Amino acid sequence: MVAWKNFDQLESYKALNETECVDLVQALTAERVKNYTVPMAAGMSYNYAAKQVDDKILELLAKLSEEAELVEKFKELYNGAVINTGEQRLVLHQLTRGQLGNAVNADGVDKRAFYVEQQNKIADFANKVHNGEITNEKGEKFTTAVQIGIGGSDLGPRAMYLALENWAKVNGCFKMDAKFISNVDPDDAAAVLNSVDVSKCIFILVSKSGTTLETLTNESFVKDALAKAGLDASKHMIAVTSETSPLAKSSDYLAAFFMDDYIGGRYSSTSAVGGAVLSLAFGPEIFARFLNGAAEEDKLATNSNIKENPALLDALIGVYERNMLGYDSTAVLPYSQALSRFPAHLQQLDMESNGKSVNRFGEPVDYPTGPVIFGEPGTNGQHSFYQLLHQGTDIIPLQFIGFKNSQIGTDVDIQGSTSQQKLCANVAAQIVAFACGKEDENKNKNFEGGRPSSIIIGDQLTPESLGALLAHFENKVMFQGFVWNVNSFDQEGVQLGKVLAKRVLAHETEGALAVYSDLLNI
Amino acid sequence: MVAWKNFDQLESYKALNETECVDLVQALTAERVKNYTVPMAAGMSYNYAAKQVDDKILELLAKLSEEAELVEKFKELYNGAVINTGEQRLVLHQLTRGQLGNAVNADGVDKRAFYVEQQNKIADFANKVHNGEITNEKGEKFTTAVQIGIGGSDLGPRAMYLALENWAKVNGCFKMDAKFISNVDPDDAAAVLNSVDVSKCIFILVSKSGTTLETLTNESFVKDALAKAGLDASKHMIAVTSETSPLAKSSDYLAAFFMDDYIGGRYSSTSAVGGAVLSLAFGPEIFARFLNGAAEEDKLATNSNIKENPALLDALIGVYERNMLGYDSTAVLPYSQALSRFPAHLQQLDMESNGKSVNRFGEPVDYPTGPVIFGEPGTNGQHSFYQLLHQGTDIIPLQFIGFKNSQIGTDVDIQGSTSQQKLCANVAAQIVAFACGKEDENKNKNFEGGRPSSIIIGDQLTPESLGALLAHFENKVMFQGFVWNVNSFDQEGVQLGKVLAKRVLAHETEGALAVYSDLLNI
């Protein structure tokens, strides 16, 4: 049995607090860039040369990993322990893409077999839609998949779709457009519906519980639109939900695909939640390749040597930055337009998992946990908030992502280089600019440097590398949650707002809430 | 003459540091919600009842405003002083929407007249495009405007376009689609070009200097595409640039519209930078209404009474939170899908303006300046990062924005309320949940509260209210820059990365930079 202890109860905590971090201005040598790198799946690598750690600190981080039994805790997780203590649930999202340990049985079934069964059902359905066996009432092919979901049913799948949309178009596996309706703001659903031919849309209703208010409201919105167009909603909708939800057996849907309570929304991109929309958009084979990339990366996360486990190493360095160096936020900066919404997905993944003040036993912790995560693609961010990153009063660690090749392959040569080369040159330049700075007598033009970053480098953003990226960050967040001794798999912090919103809608308010309701005309 | 002093040199700094902030759990009464509100332009209001200030702190903030001569500094600015000391420039973006003080002459012309002249030229051009006087070579009407620009030439105009797109469609003034190419990633331009009929596109090349590498690269990208389609690029492109730029007099463009050095990129949405694309998309009358909203809000920013000056009050409370309460970031949370990219615009506006470590005289400051800004629309954010905002270990001030009415007006009644009512109920509920919290014996379900927020409430997101919102935040950022004694109008922090990227592309690298360049295959 592993021991769950608060971070500040560990020997390593004290030892790490006594270290002095590395002065990057001096330390960032060519040797270091060559050596401080760890292979990832799908031919990628995680390079941490521009982090404020050295061999001594890395040794202490390795000790922390051992002392906190991080890899053992992961092993417990994938072997089916009740890691989500708050909700008394197993945590099984890795099982959607592979099996790292023993067979896991729950609800009377082998869960790996259950997830694979759902994938096969989705694949079969998607193939029938693509080959015209399943059509609209007029016998016309469906052209567009519209996901109706919020939070994890939206951010991850949307980010993954955008990441592969252009790749799929170039590689001849683009099957259907995908659109997303998430917000309860009626303008969200109305605008999406105005942009499509509803008669050729399959709507994917995604709600694990079958009770998410925003999603059910948007379902009604869509059903209204279908009815107005004289269409039978039950011939245009599928559901992704848990087997016990009210949506599961309804005749309102063409088909229902299942997830379960062991997969949190923010960890659900590789489950049926991402599977339905991505299989419809790109075909089941592409979704399978995406899962393979994730599975390959998951395997690396089982290595106990931190230099062979990029997610673990990334997690440990992040903890060092958060707790020893006092950095409060992290910027995620993919140099890839296709990853435009990947930071928004990571924002949920990280902040909803580790934005906690109590440990697994419900006791307050005395150290900072999850940081603020934000980001935009480079080079756009360079012309926006990088000013503060370079010269602001706070230091903000940076997570770069870059690919040697573009997805579409169309390019121009201007001033002796392609756009892709310019893109890559910029990310290389930024790492060094942040780390090393540049002295200037004019202090307004002075760059102090010492601003840490890491970079994940890949050949190209493909289904495999995207899967690996996704799994890397899921596992990183998990390991950090283990260090902080928090439950990364519940989200009690979202409940109070829901309760109060219901009260507002029922006009059962008083005091400040009543006045705010009046001001907003409810 | 006003005196430019560091914040910590002021009496008010000490006095504010000695205050104790308000305990919102106790303080947030109905009375307070009614009273702590300031009218804004376009019928909006700024409500700060859920901020940790009371009358005593507000009095000290009023004193700070006086002592730091904030309104006088604004007066100097709009009367044409050299407020951008780093670059020795006037700061005149307010003049694009009105004249708050004396006539300002620069470059031998009256600048208000110059900006109006550009607006009139754009209006004339847009009208001719809309009525078919200006067409493509086949005499077909242009259907799409594609903005090529990065940073302020992209984020602000894109956010404004998205904010009004659906409103314009419903109100019969939608003239042309707008698309945006910004990133030097070749997949950005390629994907946009794949999504349009280039023969019916007007491309708007936006670069003040005429030398922005990303933008010129994307221009070539577009010219390549036009050439491949057998089209004459000069019949499909217009330029927005400064009069002295290489683009200004080129026969490569159908027309050129001018901005100047007195308008920073991030402050340029109301100049020709936003004017061209927004006038093409929605018609010049709508752009004029947007300017009127901004002008009306600017006037409020001249009031020396902080309770009649919402931007000033918002700025002062933000400074109190940053410097006295130690909060490092701020979340911008519009409950409006149309404002989906407004947080990204504010991120640039705020972080690029005030992410500085030296004062106006180039001396290091000893206090934190601009915070990290991030955000997503509600209710989406509720199902994402709100967990950390409610229960994380750090307190993050929140800036809500809400409207009583939707833009499109299509809605459904589910469980006794419309989507719009649900949207508004959620924002009201969140404010109270964050401020007041809720005790629970199960500490995992406990909400400590005391998490401050403000809300801007409007009737509907229209051209006028959007203009007012934009100006509010521009003026807020300016006032905060005045308090911190930084130059909010330059961005020297973006230079080093540019220099190093050029060196990479010229293969003039050594050490770490050379290895990173190798790793990225440049």
Side-chain angles (χ1 to χ4, degrees), chain A residues 272-490:
Chain A
V273 171
V277 64
L278 297 174
S279 298
L280 284 168
F282 309 133
E285 298 77 15
I286 303 306
F287 184 65
R289 288 176 56 184
F290 167 68
L291 297 183
N292 289 342
E296 203 190 326
E297 192 67 36
D298 284 341
K299 271 186 213 138
L300 295 176
T302 66
N303 291 332
S304 50
N305 181 341
I306 65 170
K307 297 206 177 156
E308 294 171 1
N309 187 331
L312 178 60
L313 182 58
D314 195 355
L316 290 164
I317 295 174
V319 165
Y320 182 69
E321 291 176 331
R322 178 75 167 130
N323 297 97
M324 280 73 212
L325 304 181
Y327 305 152
D328 301 325
S329 54
T330 295
V332 180
L333 307 166
Y335 275 62
S336 162
Q337 193 63 26
L339 291 178
S340 61
R341 293 298 289 168
F342 195 66
H345 165 64
L346 293 190
Q347 193 173 54
Q348 177 190 20
L349 176 66
D350 203 319
M351 294 173 72
E352 198 171 39
S353 294
N354 291 337
K356 311 276 165 77
S357 300
V358 299
N359 70 9
R360 303 169 56 79
F361 310 108
E363 300 152 352
V365 296
D366 292 327
Y367 41 80
T369 59
V372 166
I373 303 287
F374 70 99
E376 292 285 336
T379 57
N380 291 1
Q382 293 178 200
H383 294 259
S384 170
F385 53 86
Y386 276 37
Q387 163 66 41
L388 183 146
L389 304 182
H390 278 290
Q391 292 188 318
T393 48
D394 292 349
I395 289 183
I396 293 156
L398 313 170
Q399 172 66 68
F400 291 107
I401 301 169
F403 299 97
K404 296 172 195 168
N405 301 297
S406 70
Q407 289 186 314
I408 302 179
T410 312
D411 211 330
V412 286
D413 199 299
I414 307 292
Q415 299 177 8
S417 58
T418 63
S419 290
Q420 183 63 28
Q421 286 171 324
K422 290 185 183 75
L423 182 69
C424 288
N426 271 283
V427 68
Q430 289 295 336
I431 295 171
V432 175
F434 279 114
C436 303
K438 184 174 164 292
E439 278 191 47
D440 197 303
E441 282 191 18
N442 177 344
K443 290 294 170 204
N444 195 30
K445 300 185 181 200
N446 188 62
F447 291 80
E448 278 195 14
R451 296 176 184 235
S453 69
S454 61
I455 181 167
I456 291 172
I457 297 175
D459 282 331
Q460 192 188 34
L461 184 58
T462 61
E464 287 83 359
S465 54
L466 181 66
L469 268 182
L470 180 82
H472 172 83
F473 286 102
E474 288 181 359
N475 295 328
K476 172 187 171 177
V477 165
M478 171 193 71
F479 283 128
Q480 293 191 327
F482 290 162
V483 175
W484 289 320
N485 205 27
V486 300
N487 177 3
S488 304
F489 304 102
D490 67 354

Side-chain angles (χ1 to χ4, degrees), chain A residues 63-301:
Chain A
K63 275 194 193 156
L64 167 59
S65 173
E66 274 177 50
E67 190 184 1
E69 303 176 284
L70 301 181
V71 172
E72 289 72 21
K73 285 172 182 166
F74 181 33
K75 195 171 175 186
E76 295 235 329
L77 182 150
Y78 62 71
N79 280 328
V82 178
I83 294 293
N84 178 353
T85 43
E87 300 172 306
Q88 284 295 307
R89 292 178 181 167
L90 322 189
V91 175
L92 301 182
H93 53 274
Q94 279 100 353
L95 265 192
T96 60
R97 54 238 193 182
Q99 182 153 334
L100 295 165
N102 306 329
V104 178
N105 285 282
D107 311 331
V109 298
D110 177 281
K111 294 310 296 188
R112 170 73 185 146
F114 171 75
Y115 297 135
V116 170
E117 183 195 346
Q118 299 309 312
Q119 284 161 19
N120 291 339
K121 276 171 56 186
I122 290 172
D124 184 54
F125 180 84
N127 286 332
K128 284 181 179 160
V129 170
H130 297 152
N131 69 22
E133 280 182 69
I134 295 175
T135 63
N136 72 6
E137 294 136 294
K138 287 193 191 162
E140 296 163 327
K141 274 196 175 185
F142 290 111
T143 59
T144 308
V146 183
Q147 178 109 333
I148 308 172
I150 195 164
S153 303
D154 170 57
L155 291 163
R158 191 195 294 251
M160 300 306 121
Y161 172 76
L162 293 173
L164 293 180
E165 181 184 10
N166 292 313
W167 178 90
K169 284 178 180 169
V170 171
N171 288 281
C173 41
F174 187 79
K175 309 286 186 187
M176 294 170 76
D177 278 315
K179 304 259 180 178
F180 296 83
I181 295 173
S182 52
N183 202 335
V184 78
D185 180 347
D187 287 344
D188 188 15
V192 170
L193 291 173
N194 287 342
S195 76
V196 297
D197 175 355
V198 287
S199 75
K200 296 184 178 167
C201 287
I202 292 188
F203 295 90
I204 310 167
L205 187 72
V206 187
S207 170
K208 184 159 62 180
S209 64
T211 61
T212 313
L213 184 63
E214 283 91 341
T215 300
L216 294 185
T217 302
N218 279 321
E219 181 193 20
S220 297
F221 206 104
V222 166
K223 282 188 170 169
D224 245 34
L226 287 165
K228 278 183 193 147
L231 298 164
D232 177 352
S234 71
K235 304 283 189 244
H236 284 266
M237 293 193 119
I238 63 176
V240 176
T241 188
S242 64
E243 278 183 292
T244 53
S245 112
L247 313 178
K249 306 277 180 238
S250 168
S251 59
D252 287 355
Y253 308 106
L254 270 175
F257 305 109
F258 301 129
M259 58 184 307
D260 59 32
D261 281 345
Y262 314 126
I263 298 179
R266 56 194 176 272
Y267 295 93
S268 69
S269 290
T270 53
S271 78
V273 171
V277 64
L278 297 174
S279 298
L280 284 168
F282 309 133
E285 298 77 15
I286 303 306
F287 184 65
R289 288 176 56 184
F290 167 68
L291 297 183
N292 289 342
E296 203 190 326
E297 192 67 36
D298 284 341
K299 271 186 213 138
L300 295 176

Side-chain angles (χ1 to χ4, degrees), chain B residues 160 289-291 293-295 297 462-472:
Chain B
M160 301 304 122
R289 288 176 54 184
F290 167 67
L291 297 183
E297 192 68 36
T462 61
E464 287 83 359
S465 53
L466 181 66
L469 268 182
L470 180 83
H472 173 84

Side-chain angles (χ1 to χ4, degrees), chain B residues 8-301:
Chain B
D8 56 2
Q9 305 291 302
L10 305 181
E11 293 297 321
S12 321
Y13 182 82
K14 196 164 160 261
L16 281 163
N17 261 326
E18 287 164 0
T19 59
E20 202 153 309
C21 75
V22 166
D23 175 5
L24 285 172
V25 179
Q26 303 303 325
L28 190 61
T29 60
E31 269 320 282
R32 205 175 137 102
V33 184
K34 283 180 201 158
N35 293 334
Y36 273 27
T37 181
V38 173
M40 293 175 60
M44 296 194 294
S45 60
Y46 169 71
N47 190 301
Y48 57 101
K51 288 291 194 183
Q52 291 164 297
V53 296
D54 56 14
D55 289 346
K56 191 189 148 197
I57 295 170
L58 289 167
E59 207 174 292
L60 290 173
L61 291 173
K63 275 194 192 153
L64 166 60
S65 173
E66 273 177 50
E67 190 184 2
E69 303 175 284
L70 300 181
V71 172
E72 290 72 21
K73 283 171 182 167
F74 182 32
K75 194 170 176 186
E76 295 234 330
L77 182 151
Y78 61 70
N79 280 328
V82 179
I83 294 292
N84 178 353
T85 43
E87 301 172 306
Q88 286 292 306
R89 291 176 182 167
L90 322 189
V91 175
L92 301 182
H93 53 274
Q94 280 98 352
L95 265 192
T96 59
R97 52 236 194 183
Q99 183 154 334
L100 294 164
N102 305 329
V104 178
N105 285 282
D107 311 332
V109 297
D110 176 279
K111 292 310 295 189
R112 170 74 185 147
F114 171 76
Y115 298 136
V116 171
E117 184 195 344
Q118 299 308 313
Q119 283 161 19
N120 291 337
K121 276 171 55 186
I122 289 171
D124 184 54
F125 180 83
N127 285 331
K128 284 180 178 160
V129 169
H130 298 154
N131 68 23
E133 278 183 68
I134 297 175
T135 65
N136 74 4
E137 295 138 292
K138 286 193 191 163
E140 296 164 326
K141 273 195 175 186
F142 290 111
T143 59
T144 308
V146 184
Q147 178 109 330
I148 308 170
I150 195 165
S153 302
D154 171 55
L155 291 164
R158 191 194 294 249
M160 301 304 122
Y161 172 76
L162 293 174
L164 294 180
E165 182 184 9
N166 291 314
W167 178 90
K169 284 178 178 168
V170 172
N171 287 279
C173 42
F174 188 79
K175 309 287 187 185
M176 295 171 75
D177 278 315
K179 304 259 181 176
F180 296 83
I181 296 173
S182 52
N183 202 335
V184 78
D185 180 347
D187 288 342
D188 187 16
V192 171
L193 290 173
N194 287 343
S195 75
V196 297
D197 175 356
V198 288
S199 75
K200 294 184 180 170
C201 287
I202 293 187
F203 296 91
I204 310 169
L205 187 73
V206 187
S207 170
K208 182 157 66 180
S209 64
T211 61
T212 314
L213 185 62
E214 284 91 341
T215 302
L216 295 184
T217 302
N218 279 321
E219 180 192 19
S220 296
F221 206 105
V222 166
K223 280 186 171 170
D224 246 34
L226 288 165
K228 278 181 194 149
L231 298 164
D232 178 353
S234 72
K235 303 285 189 246
H236 284 266
M237 292 192 121
I238 63 176
V240 176
T241 188
S242 65
E243 277 184 292
T244 53
S245 113
L247 315 176
K249 309 277 181 234
S250 167
S251 57
D252 287 355
Y253 308 105
L254 270 174
F257 306 108
F258 301 130
M259 58 184 307
D260 59 32
D261 282 344
Y262 314 125
I263 298 180
R266 56 195 176 272
Y267 296 93
S268 69
S269 290
T270 53
S271 78
V273 170
V277 64
L278 297 175
S279 298
L280 284 167
F282 309 132
E285 299 76 15
I286 303 306
F287 184 65
R289 288 176 54 184
F290 167 67
L291 297 183
N292 289 344
E296 203 191 325
E297 192 68 36
D298 284 341
K299 270 187 211 137
L300 295 177

